[in-house]
Amino acid sequence: MTGINKRIGLLGGSFNPAHGAHRRISLFALRSLRLDEIWWLVSPGNPLKPAEGMAPLAARVLSAMAQAKRARIRVTAIERELGTRYTADTLRALTRRYPKREFVWLMGSDNLAQFHRWRDWRGIARTMPIAVIARPGYDAAAIASPAMAWLRRFSVPLPSFVNRGEWSAPALVTLRFDPDERSATAIRRADPDWALRYAGPSPRDQLTHRRIPSGEETTAP
């Protein structure tokens, strides 16, 4: 993209563990939005999810790295380094730290359904465009959500969004593809000791190149 900053998709989550659906929706977003790459933001912790059963950060990062192999996906726990507690603050910090990047926040329709519960969710929408990816069973709740009632006026057709010379926010684009019903919850039920496979030295962050400790902190949506 000559004359245009690199375009990066941001996918945040617990990745407890990362699995094939994370990879599949990311590759779909890469193609659909014509992104240069996607960054998986592995959250140290999410207060909207129970702490019980949350694997150490290093294990979750390693599971994400295994799923991201040979794809234009970088795995990072940069929220620890930024010292941000809320997603809104994280995204603003990323735009300041990487001014030559154009970011789009990738969100499943399950998250859109509860987006109005996130701190400063309108601030998130004003910081960067949002691409919503269909999730089975959540579309109706997402459409009826308070956040969607506000965001609907900023909806942009996919071709118009992709072909913009420069992205601006607020902007909402919806991506639809065959839903993938794999979930981290189901994986944990089938294999509660999955994190033991990732025991060992702490991994190195693929964005900051720093070692990622396994201690937990809380990062809020």
Side-chain angles (χ1 to χ4, degrees), residues 71-188:
R72 284 180 288 140
I73 299 170
R74 291 201 213 192
V75 179
T76 179
I78 195 172
E79 286 168 305
R80 293 184 67 94
E81 184 177 326
L82 294 173
T84 51
R85 174 171 170 77
Y86 297 98
T87 298
D89 296 329
T90 297
L91 301 188
R92 281 191 282 263
L94 286 173
T95 59
R96 289 193 299 267
R97 183 165 179 158
Y98 300 98
K100 294 186 181 297
R101 302 289 189 270
E102 286 191 316
F103 293 109
V104 57
W105 179 247
L106 306 176
M107 174 186 291
S109 53
D110 55 331
N111 278 324
L112 179 59
Q114 60 169 354
F115 192 37
H116 62 285
R117 296 174 56 195
W118 293 25
R119 178 158 176 159
D120 194 18
W121 60 271
R122 290 183 181 87
I124 294 173
R126 292 186 178 107
T127 300
M128 63 185 63
I130 296 173
V132 174
I133 302 166
R135 285 287 302 273
Y138 290 96
D139 281 358
I143 291 170
S145 69
M148 188 60 183
W150 185 82
L151 284 166
R152 189 173 287 113
R153 76 195 78 172
F154 305 112
S155 183
V156 179
L158 179 59
S160 299
F161 181 80
V162 168
N163 294 320
R164 283 185 177 186
E166 184 176 342
W167 286 351
S168 60
L172 176 71
V173 62
T174 302
L175 304 179
R176 299 206 170 273
F177 76 124
D178 295 335
D180 193 315
E181 299 187 17
R182 286 175 285 187
S183 74
T185 301
I187 292 170
R188 291 196 302 274

